Amino acid sequence: MDQNNSLPPYAQGLASPQGAMTPGIPIFSPMMPYGTGLTPQPIQNTSSLSILEEQQRQQQQQQQQQQQQQQQQQQQQQQQQQQAAQQSTSQQAAQVASGQAPQIFHSQTLTTAPLPGTTPLYPSPVTPMTPITPATPASESSGIVPQLQNIVSTVNLGCKLDLKTIALRARNAEYNPKRFAAVIMRIREPRTTALIFSSGKMVCTGAKSEEQSRLAARKYARVVQKLGFPAKFLDFKIQNMVGSCDVKFPIRLEGLVLTHQQFSSYEPELFPGLIYRMIKPRIVLLIFVSGKVVLTGAKVRAEIYEAFENIYPILKGFRKTT
Amino acid sequence: MSSTACRLYRNTTLGNRLQEILLQFDKAINSALAQRVRNRVNFRGSLNMYRFPDNVWTFVLNNVEFREVTELTKVDKVKTVACNSKNTGSITTE
């Protein structure tokens, strides 16, 4: 692909922090072509383009270099008016052939601006419009693996329970029906806490891995069983996983919220972290100035990893240099 | 023994006198704990077990240090039963 060489001059300044402050920089437009997946994408050129699209791209690049300023202005308007985006999409549909993964740092990403949820009008893309996974040769993996901090799971013990009996006879159990209608039980290994309800349903929190959560839930079920209840182990399901990691550099949250307005909310007076709601995978990230990132909302471990791989290049782009 | 059975033999001469004395005992202990006990003892140990049904805490602690201003006592195992009261918790320790 020769697209890197033909990057318009304004895009070449993207790597520098000053580039972020220039208005209308395409990479920071929230109306980037996220395809169907609405995944923020790092700088990369996918090798999955068809020849047809390559030709169209080369033609469009020449056209786009002439229309850069107009598009920049359009983008700024699009940031405010969602309906305008659809109009511009139709205008730019002829120019756009990027049926493949959206690319933030590419000039062509200017043109396609599909709204979240709407499918852009692409002329017969050969490749399927799947959101490209970040594992492409052009992007480097971050080398940082988020650590799981907390797993919340639920299980149905399958029988009604007498909470008073459990609280009276079990060890390490609390039951205060006036405050909360469940027995709060804790075990030391794995260090977890369980909320056991009279319906027989149980919530297990505090484990650091999926296996530990399952093992802990089984231990609680065994405790209940030993107290004389016919406990079973039905429908064990992990409901939420929380991970955290450190990107090891400070982050400009103000810049991030300006360019990713659709996904971020940042109220420093309310909470010092930026709340980034990624659409695919559906994960909420808390991003802090120090470079620490908390990821939550995952049902499987892979979602945490995928979300971090998605956000890492964006965060690199907002690295604080002072 | 069921409570109904208890009532029967308690309603005897001996039983009645003993109940009166028990009532006096209750009153005396309550007033003594409220008025005559002033010291404060801190104790610290590792928690082996806890329980909390019906607003009654049961703790089992190991390697406990009872610390009063004057002196220090070390114990291997302490079982504490505590429940709420108006001013201070009433605690029995074995």
Side-chain angles (χ1 to χ4, degrees):
Chain A
M1 302 294 294
D2 59 350
Q3 295 171 353
N4 282 330
N5 302 333
S6 59
L7 269 182
Y10 70 85
Q12 289 168 357
L14 291 176
S16 68
Q18 283 82 18
M21 304 314 289
T22 315
I25 289 281
I27 54 162
F28 301 110
S29 164
M31 306 311 293
M32 301 319 293
Y34 291 112
T36 54
L38 301 159
T39 314
Q41 293 300 326
I43 308 179
Q44 53 185 289
N45 300 315
T46 65
S47 52
S48 63
L49 288 177
S50 68
I51 299 179
L52 169 68
E53 291 168 326
E54 280 183 340
Q55 293 173 350
Q56 290 178 346
R57 273 179 174 269
Q58 292 171 6
Q59 293 171 4
Q60 292 162 21
Q61 283 175 7
Q62 298 168 2
Q63 296 173 1
Q64 286 175 4
Q65 287 177 2
Q66 301 170 1
Q67 299 176 2
Q68 288 170 12
Q69 292 177 355
Q70 294 177 5
Q71 292 167 358
Q72 290 174 11
Q73 291 172 1
Q74 284 177 1
Q75 284 177 357
Q76 288 175 353
Q77 294 171 1
Q78 287 164 16
Q79 290 178 11
Q80 301 166 3
Q81 303 171 10
Q82 293 186 355
Q83 292 179 357
Q86 290 182 354
Q87 297 170 1
S88 62
T89 310
S90 58
Q91 293 172 5
Q92 300 158 351
Q95 300 176 358
V96 177
S98 57
Q100 69 289 352
Q103 300 174 358
I104 291 187
F105 288 98
H106 197 275
S107 59
Q108 294 204 349
T109 53
L110 270 182
T111 59
T112 59
L115 283 175
T118 66
T119 53
L121 313 169
Y122 294 135
S124 64
V126 179
T127 56
M129 274 199 320
T130 54
I132 276 288
T133 61
T136 51
S139 77
E140 32 181 272
S141 83
S142 60
I144 305 172
V145 180
Q147 298 301 312
L148 289 180
Q149 301 291 348
N150 182 24
I151 311 232
V152 178
S153 58
T154 55
V155 72
N156 187 0
L157 300 178
C159 65
K160 293 261 177 290
L161 302 175
D162 181 14
L163 297 186
K164 243 181 113 180
T165 320
I166 296 180
L168 269 171
R169 294 167 54 197
R171 303 180 142 244
N172 299 332
E174 295 168 44
Y175 181 46
N176 199 348
K178 283 178 287 189
R179 248 188 65 205
F180 189 56
V183 166
I184 303 163
M185 198 184 295
R186 295 181 175 86
I187 57 174
R188 288 197 166 87
E189 181 56 50
R191 196 166 281 273
T192 50
T193 303
L195 306 175
I196 305 175
F197 293 85
S198 54
S199 62
K201 300 230 173 109
M202 180 170 77
V203 180
C204 174
T205 62
K208 299 275 192 205
S209 85
E210 304 93 318
E211 259 321 296
Q212 282 189 1
S213 189
R214 193 189 179 88
L215 176 67
R218 287 205 104 97
K219 287 194 179 177
Y220 287 113
R222 191 167 354 123
V223 169
V224 170
Q225 204 175 51
K226 285 204 179 145
L227 289 176
F229 298 94
K232 300 181 264 301
F233 200 73
L234 310 170
D235 307 324
F236 175 80
K237 181 173 180 214
I238 291 181
Q239 302 288 353
N240 185 26
M241 302 173 75
V242 180
S244 74
C245 55
D246 185 4
V247 299
K248 305 280 198 319
F249 54 79
I251 303 171
R252 279 180 292 114
L253 298 183
E254 278 300 333
L256 182 56
V257 74
L258 279 173
T259 52
H260 287 79
Q261 266 169 357
Q262 285 182 319
F263 309 100
S264 351
S265 77
Y266 177 44
E267 295 271 349
E269 295 171 12
L270 213 54
F271 185 64
L274 185 150
I275 302 168
Y276 192 103
R277 296 177 190 274
M278 198 176 283
I279 311 280
K280 180 178 183 343
R282 217 162 80 82
I283 301 277
V284 175
L285 299 91
L286 304 177
I287 306 170
F288 296 89
V289 177
S290 57
K292 300 263 194 325
V293 179
V294 174
L295 308 94
T296 181
K299 288 275 197 291
V300 288
R301 187 188 282 249
E303 285 177 6
I304 298 258
Y305 294 160
E306 186 186 342
F308 182 67
E309 292 302 318
N310 288 344
I311 201 80
Y312 188 68
I314 301 175
L315 296 181
K316 276 204 289 195
F318 287 96
R319 185 184 193 135
K320 255 196 218 174
T321 51
T322 54
Chain B
M1 276 194 237
S2 70
S3 53
T4 51
C6 287
R7 301 280 160 81
L8 286 174
Y9 63 80
R10 282 195 186 178
N11 195 8
T12 57
T13 315
L14 186 58
N16 284 331
R17 293 303 287 163
L18 281 174
Q19 283 196 33
E20 278 176 38
I21 295 171
L22 200 56
L23 270 178
Q24 286 181 4
F25 174 66
D26 278 343
K27 283 190 205 158
I29 279 283
N30 272 325
S31 74
L33 284 175
Q35 307 297 332
R36 292 178 53 182
V37 179
R38 296 284 156 104
N39 352 5
R40 181 197 177 99
V41 180
N42 292 332
F43 60 99
R44 168 194 291 250
S46 49
L47 181 66
N48 189 320
M49 192 270 286
Y50 68 89
R51 193 177 278 150
F52 185 55
D54 288 333
N55 259 340
V56 177
W57 279 105
T58 306
F59 297 108
V60 174
L61 303 173
N62 289 122
N63 302 329
V64 193
E65 274 188 3
F66 284 87
R67 197 173 285 272
E68 207 176 347
V69 180
T70 46
E71 61 186 81
L72 175 66
T73 316
K74 292 202 185 171
V75 178
D76 275 342
K77 178 182 166 190
V78 167
K79 180 174 189 177
T80 304
V81 181
C83 50
N84 264 352
S85 148
K86 273 178 286 185
N87 297 329
T88 54
S90 71
I91 299 182
T92 54
T93 315
E94 317 159 23

